[in-house]
Amino acid sequence: MPEGDSVFRLAARLRREVSGRSIVDGELRSGAAAGTSLAGWTLSGFETHGKHLVTQLSPGWALHTHLLMQGSWSITGPGRRLPASVAARARVRAQLDDERTLWGIDVPIVELMRETDVAGALGYLGPDPLRPDWDAAEAVARLGQHPDRTVVAALLDQRNVAGLGNLWVNELAFLSGAHPFAPIGSVDAGALVSRAARALRLSATVPGMYQVTTGDARRGRSHWVAGRAGKPCLRCGTSIRVRAEVVDDPERRRTWWCPRCQPPVR
């Protein structure tokens, strides 16, 4: 699943490539507004809140989308078409005034709303380190509301901190020396939130550092624990452990940790 930094980078790319373009043809193919024509609207901007993308449509409308596990956005050039098998999975089509076409492929959440309703629709989300209204103190306060929740569960809850997904949660637990299943109340939440904000911003904005947590972008060395089950810890050499949270979890979520660098709370 794309995490907050992934969606932030996507918004930056779309902003750079299509912002300001008018839509001459196209439609929504999913959600409650399926069948709505997009012709006559302008792509006036792209914003993110956590893992959510908001496409501003002038005048006065917005398209809220979430990629979940499978969604993606693609742009085809003039006269180019998507393969038929891919085009069949398009949930958004927007032919632009420069003859390019913007496609939302396999996007599971597609919601058309008034621009003034966006804040209310996403109001349940916690603070996002990648937004200008980031509030670290509020994030710490939200994490402290349920001190018995595990570190991974508390950080994955988008109502506490928006944008952290499974990769970041596992890496941040390691960097904090916290056992992933320790109570969130047993760790320094302020330091954890500060570290999360720095990491997401680095990943979202620095070339070559996308989701690199070790400082080493080489293959197999960019993460401390995520995806490294059975391999030696890059810090101490201990074998990395992994646990499947739920066998039938559609997100195939796993939790990784180093039993020496992240000792359990006694």
Side-chain angles (χ1 to χ4, degrees):
M1 176 183 288
E3 308 201 14
D5 51 344
S6 312
V7 181
F8 186 91
R9 283 179 173 250
L10 168 63
R13 178 174 68 86
L14 293 175
R15 195 179 297 121
R16 182 172 60 250
E17 296 190 17
V18 301
S19 189
R21 308 304 318 193
S22 296
I23 303 173
V24 297
D25 192 21
E27 65 285 317
L28 302 180
R29 301 179 178 181
S30 182
T36 299
S37 172
L38 297 177
W41 279 334
T42 297
L43 297 169
S44 56
F46 297 88
E47 292 186 356
T48 63
H49 193 144
K51 304 174 185 181
H52 300 255
L53 174 68
V54 175
T55 302
Q56 296 160 337
L57 299 169
S58 296
W61 289 83
L63 187 65
H64 164 232
T65 54
H66 195 304
L67 301 178
L68 292 183
M69 288 291 290
Q70 71 274 24
S72 64
W73 288 88
S74 180
I75 301 170
T76 53
R80 302 295 298 271
R81 295 184 179 181
L82 291 174
S85 60
V86 178
R89 306 199 308 271
R91 300 294 178 259
V92 181
R93 182 182 72 96
Q95 183 180 340
L96 308 179
D97 55 2
D98 61 359
E99 300 184 358
R100 292 181 299 160
T101 303
L102 175 64
W103 303 87
I105 310 297
D106 278 332
V107 180
I109 296 178
V110 179
E111 295 181 322
L112 183 65
M113 62 185 68
R114 291 284 185 181
E115 192 170 6
T116 53
D117 293 335
V118 171
L122 301 183
Y124 70 96
L125 293 171
D128 178 352
L130 299 178
R131 288 177 56 87
D133 58 0
W134 164 242
D135 187 337
E138 175 64 18
V140 171
R142 293 191 182 206
L143 288 171
Q145 288 176 352
H146 300 284
D148 293 333
R149 294 189 77 184
T150 66
V151 170
V152 288
L155 291 180
L156 282 170
D157 190 335
Q158 299 300 293
R159 295 169 297 183
N160 293 329
V161 184
L164 296 179
N166 206 44
L167 181 144
W168 279 115
V169 165
N170 281 269
E171 293 295 288
L172 288 167
F174 177 88
L175 289 167
S176 301
H179 193 279
F181 304 116
I184 189 68
S186 68
V187 305
D188 184 340
L192 184 60
V193 164
S194 178
R195 184 174 292 114
R198 290 196 307 270
L200 272 184
R201 289 168 187 161
L202 182 74
S203 178
T205 62
V206 177
M209 290 301 290
Y210 172 64
Q211 294 189 345
V212 174
T213 61
T214 61
D216 186 345
R218 289 179 295 173
R219 184 179 180 85
R221 299 189 64 86
S222 60
H223 302 146
W224 290 106
V225 292
R228 303 193 70 250
K231 296 180 180 179
C233 175
L234 295 174
R235 178 180 291 167
C236 73
T238 303
S239 181
I240 299 298
R241 298 187 63 181
V242 65
R243 189 174 101 179
E245 294 307 291
V246 181
V247 174
D248 60 353
D249 182 357
E251 297 180 14
R252 300 181 179 88
R253 184 174 294 128
R254 302 289 184 267
T255 298
W256 298 271
W257 74 97
C258 171
R260 182 175 180 181
C261 296
Q262 300 167 264
V265 175
R266 300 297 183 184

